[in-house]
Amino acid sequence: MADGKVKAGVPKRRAGKRQKKDWIAGYLFIAPVTIGLLIFYIWPFVQNVWFSFNDVNKFNISTFIGLQNYAEMFQDSEVWSTFGNTLKYVICTVPVGLFLSICIAALLNAKIKGTSIYRTLYFLPSVTMAAAVSMVWKWIYNEKMGILNTAIRAAGGEGHGWLTDPKTALFMIMIVGLWMSVGYNMIILLAGMQGISKSYYEAAAIDGAGPFAQFFRITIPMLTPTIFFVMITSIISGFQVFDVVYMMVGKTNPAYAATQTVVMLFYRKAFDYGYKGYAAAISILIFAAIMIVTVIQLIGQKKWVNYD
Amino acid sequence: MKSKRNIQHFFVHLVLLIGVGITAFPFIWMVLTSFKTAGEAMQIPPTIFPKQFLLDAYVQIVSALPFARVYLNTIISTLVTTVVQVAFCSMAAYGFARIEFPFKNAIFILLLSVLMVPGQIFLIPQYLIIQKIGLLDTIPALFIPNLFSAFGTFLLRQFFMSLPKELEEAALLDGCNRYQIFGKIMLPLVKPGIVSLVIFTAKFAWNDFMWPLIVNTSPKMMTLGPALSTLQGQYTTKYPMQMAGAVMAVIPIIVLFFIFQKQFIEGVAQSGIKG
């Protein structure tokens, strides 16, 4: 820093000219992204907030109606039930997903052969198209001919309409969500585990700590920042489940109401029914919910996340 | 002592292999079903392996939907999104990381705020913009908003910031201008970052679902994700056909993944380290 100032002090006039050239270059470099984000993201954000206070009809003519959309939303049982389904999804998948991905990461962190092959195979589902694999899972779950029920029947049990029973459908969707995300989160956690200094384990081994004690006393506490990161990102993506539900549960499915997430509701309201003002208000509610949960997490982390 | 260790390793492998089985099964079942006839797929109890490996389902799907067209749309949309987004992001990332100009930090923070907002917030206005400029149901509709990425800019900025300043200062003194420095010196040095972003963007664009579902509704203009949904609705019980569609939809990314698996996995692994 000090070095740069001395240099700049000598050819003063040229520095001024160069600086201006630099400004222009700087603006030119950032122009495409900045203009694009302003037009397609930042201004739409403002517009969306405005729409949420408007009634936007099918011809996209909007009339200001104040807080009416919000008032309506809080009385809309569909909003509550889809929010409930979404919360259920988040509450079930986040802890189970964390547990599974930590277990697999821990096993892969043991000195065994073939770690990189396992990593690759576990990671695979997270790169594939959700729409495509949802179709495959739907076929597996199929009541009459699906391989799941066939296996159950072969074992002497009875088949079940996994995706049509309102009691089980959401859980079956959660399984697909977990199947797609566990490998991904496992990679992040494994990288975190590999970043823990060996010296901790060596010291613990000298003190006579077994592998379980080492896992709970060293690995888990040292991993808390990574666990926290995975938790936050999983919660945020859990709130936005869409593709899998859209593909697996059609409108005529008896389990339709039991599986609709809040983003599904947003989509239907905005693009099936054309209530764009109301849908905008729903999207603001999703945003608010994610913000609130994230802020709670950020406050709560002080109690359990270790930053040393 | 050694045999105890062997037993432990045996159990670790056993558990991991069960996991691999669960992970791989849907893929295996998808491929096996795609080679069966519709009748064989629905037979009770079902066959595990097809009696004959038939390509009928693949032939049917190509002729049933404008499938070739949909495939081409997806390829074009993915290529344009990836190339343009990475080019724009690397330019902006260099500007934000290396050049001083007024309001730089304010602009950067404004752009970063996009990352904090869930995507649904932008969808309605984005749709209305595309509608207003008359591009609904066209190829450009598929990629326009995705050409600009706050995430990519942020990611590459980190890479540019980690490069030593001396490199640039030397080049400036030699009379190179900013554009030459960017293209000839800096860009080649952030190649790992570029590769990460290319992979991430290509995967995202190929698998994207909600946006193409909204903007392009005529079968000819769809991408693979929404087209599979249409297929599922039209051919409810033609399971081999559905599975053939799924196979064709996931194969390009799986091939890409196996070629660049190291970069795929490292890119994700690093995302948690800073967090």
Side-chain angles (χ1 to χ4, degrees), chain B residues 84-99:
Chain B
V84 178
Q85 193 199 98
V86 172
F88 283 173
C89 284
S90 53
M91 283 167 61
Y94 172 70
F96 282 120
R98 283 301 202 223
I99 306 176

Side-chain angles (χ1 to χ4, degrees), chain B residues 30-61:
Chain B
M30 163 179 82
V31 173
L32 289 177
T33 306
S34 75
F35 290 120
K36 293 176 184 173
T37 61
E40 191 187 348
M42 293 194 287
Q43 184 180 311
I44 299 173
T47 53
I48 301 294
F49 292 98
K51 286 175 202 148
Q52 268 183 297
F53 280 83
L54 297 169
L55 289 172
D56 294 15
Y58 291 89
V59 175
Q60 282 168 4
I61 196 175

Side-chain angles (χ1 to χ4, degrees), chain B residues 128-186:
Chain B
L128 295 176
I129 293 172
I130 298 294
Q131 187 181 46
K132 202 171 262 172
I133 52 182
L135 288 179
L136 285 181
D137 255 331
T138 64
I139 302 275
L142 297 170
F143 57 71
I144 287 179
N146 295 331
L147 301 180
F148 316 100
S149 163
F151 167 79
T153 306
F154 181 72
L155 179 84
L156 292 182
R157 178 175 165 271
Q158 304 290 92
F159 279 88
F160 279 113
M161 290 194 15
S162 68
L163 299 176
K165 272 220 156 94
E166 290 75 20
L167 275 173
E168 238 176 332
E169 277 162 8
L172 277 173
L173 288 176
D174 283 349
C176 287
N177 63 36
R178 286 287 184 184
Y179 313 99
Q180 291 165 326
I181 293 173
F182 170 69
K184 289 190 182 142
I185 301 170
M186 302 302 269

Side-chain angles (χ1 to χ4, degrees), chain B residues 257-269:
Chain B
F257 172 61
F258 278 109
I259 298 171
F260 294 103
Q261 48 173 308
K262 204 175 144 235
Q263 287 86 344
F264 258 92
I265 290 177
E266 267 165 22
V268 173

Side-chain angles (χ1 to χ4, degrees), chain A residues 234-303:
Chain A
S234 308
I235 291 174
I236 293 175
S237 60
F239 264 104
Q240 301 183 66
V241 195
F242 178 78
D243 305 12
V244 179
V245 182
Y246 185 92
M247 287 300 287
M248 292 184 91
V249 181
K251 277 183 194 162
T252 53
N253 187 325
Y256 181 76
T259 53
Q260 295 306 289
T261 59
V262 68
V263 174
M264 281 293 298
L265 182 71
F266 161 80
Y267 166 80
R268 300 269 188 231
K269 291 285 181 201
F271 301 101
D272 267 7
Y273 307 123
Y275 302 140
K276 294 202 168 62
Y278 191 58
I282 294 174
S283 74
I284 302 281
L285 190 69
I286 299 170
F287 179 35
I290 291 177
M291 282 293 268
I292 290 167
V293 173
T294 308
V295 168
I296 293 172
Q297 297 282 320
L298 286 170
I299 295 167
Q301 65 155 339
K302 284 175 197 148
K303 293 222 166 112

Side-chain angles (χ1 to χ4, degrees), chain B residues 14-25:
Chain B
L14 188 70
V15 174
L16 285 171
L17 283 171
I18 293 171
V20 167
I22 297 169
T23 307
F25 180 75

Side-chain angles (χ1 to χ4, degrees), chain A residues 16 26 40 47 52 61 76 96 124 137 140 182 188 216 218 248 252 260 281-282 297 301:
Chain A
F40 288 101
Q47 256 185 316
S52 77
I61 295 161
D76 185 343
V96 175
L124 193 59
W137 278 96
I140 291 173
V182 163
I188 299 175
F216 287 107
I218 301 170
M248 292 184 91
T252 53
Q260 295 306 289
I282 294 174
Q297 297 282 320
Q301 65 155 339

